[in-house]
Amino acid sequence: LAAPAPPGPPRGASASGRHVRSPLGVSAMCMGYQDAANGDGAQQGGARVQLVITPIGPWVPLRGLQAYHTSVLVDGVEYSFGGTGISIAKGARSHDAFPRSPAETRVVDMGLAQRPTQDLVRKLRPYFRRNSYDLLRKNCNSFSDCALFYLLNARLQRRYRFMERLGRSAEKSVGFVRRLSGGNYRPNPAADDFLLKQVRRALSPADAATSTSRSQ
């Protein structure tokens, strides 16, 4: 993986422009924020969708390793996932906790939502419940991947899904995982049954259309 070139200040990365460093460092990865914005943050279909990306933890040049925190903005309202479940906030507040934000935070326009966004949380909550977060197997990037798939029928780029790939070969990367998490990583049993492929299948437009026709 190649580290992205440091961009300028992120567009709309924080509604207040605050930069808050987490006292827990990387071990606080994707813990989430519960400040609700505009109720459940629901917007109508056709809303602007953006991906927010912040590199976290060490960059390991010899192995080409870099972890990221990601979240999704829908018309400026952030949806992210962490230890408290799905969180909603005005602006990309979940990125404020990381030392490399805002200097290295990127906001990428992904397009206009192809499906009604008011259903986003309802559709994803069964798979991203409180206390089901796992640093390697079910993290903020897993959520962003599923949110983009639901909204745009798109996928999170592979480079940002590094932690999930690492999880599939964790026994070979124990040292890096311990370094990234401050030695605090423990597998979460609540994430044992989580499979991205199954979630994407359940969220696919074809399945959604079938469910709608059956309910009419």
Side-chain angles (χ1 to χ4, degrees), residues 9 52 59 65 85 89 103 121 147 168-169 171 175 183 193 196 204 210 214:
V52 189
W59 162 251
L65 302 178
V121 174
R168 289 194 289 269
S169 59
E171 70 280 358
D193 296 331
L196 271 174
S204 67
T210 300
R214 288 177 178 175

Side-chain angles (χ1 to χ4, degrees), residues 99-114:
R100 294 170 70 173
S101 171
E104 297 181 66
T105 296
R106 298 176 58 216
V107 181
V108 181
D109 286 317
M110 301 297 293
L112 299 179
Q114 300 175 7

Side-chain angles (χ1 to χ4, degrees), residues 30-37 40 71-72 77-91 94 120-121 125 128 130 143:
C30 312
M31 288 307 294
Y33 291 79
Q34 287 299 306
D35 295 352
D40 64 354
S71 64
V72 173
V77 175
E78 182 189 49
Y79 296 85
S80 61
F81 174 68
T84 55
I86 298 175
S87 298
I88 305 168
K90 286 185 177 180
S94 69
L120 176 63
V121 174
R125 181 172 285 133
F128 295 94
R130 185 183 184 90
F143 174 81

Side-chain angles (χ1 to χ4, degrees), residues 12-191:
S14 173
S16 63
R18 295 180 299 107
H19 178 203
V20 181
R21 292 176 182 267
S22 167
L24 299 179
V26 179
S27 61
M29 177 182 180
C30 312
M31 288 307 294
Y33 291 79
Q34 287 299 306
D35 295 352
N38 299 325
D40 64 354
Q43 306 290 332
Q44 296 301 314
R48 182 187 187 190
V49 179
Q50 297 172 297
L51 176 67
V52 189
I53 308 154
T54 299
I56 63 174
W59 162 251
V60 184
L62 294 179
R63 299 186 63 186
L65 302 178
Q66 177 63 68
Y68 297 89
H69 170 61
T70 66
S71 64
V72 173
L73 292 179
V74 180
D75 278 349
V77 175
E78 182 189 49
Y79 296 85
S80 61
F81 174 68
T84 55
I86 298 175
S87 298
I88 305 168
K90 286 185 177 180
R93 287 195 58 202
S94 69
H95 295 255
D96 289 349
F98 301 100
R100 294 170 70 173
S101 171
E104 297 181 66
T105 296
R106 298 176 58 216
V107 181
V108 181
D109 286 317
M110 301 297 293
L112 299 179
Q114 300 175 7
R115 300 166 72 179
T117 59
Q118 64 266 27
D119 294 332
L120 176 63
V121 174
R122 181 176 63 84
K123 291 287 189 179
L124 268 61
R125 181 172 285 133
Y127 310 103
F128 295 94
R129 295 192 180 278
R130 185 183 184 90
N131 298 324
S132 66
Y133 174 89
D134 186 284
L135 177 65
L136 293 181
R137 300 175 298 160
K138 186 180 179 181
N139 57 33
C140 56
N141 303 317
S142 309
F143 174 81
S144 295
D145 192 18
C146 291
L148 292 176
F149 183 81
Y150 172 78
L151 293 169
L152 301 167
N153 198 29
R155 296 292 309 279
L156 182 67
Q157 288 185 3
R158 190 173 184 269
R159 63 182 298 185
Y160 303 125
R161 289 182 276 132
F162 157 69
M163 294 304 296
E164 294 86 337
R165 302 201 312 275
L166 184 65
R168 289 194 289 269
S169 59
E171 70 280 358
K172 300 178 182 179
S173 309
V174 172
F176 180 80
V177 174
R178 287 176 178 171
R179 183 180 175 188
L180 180 65
S181 66
N184 296 321
Y185 174 69
R186 297 290 184 277
N188 185 353

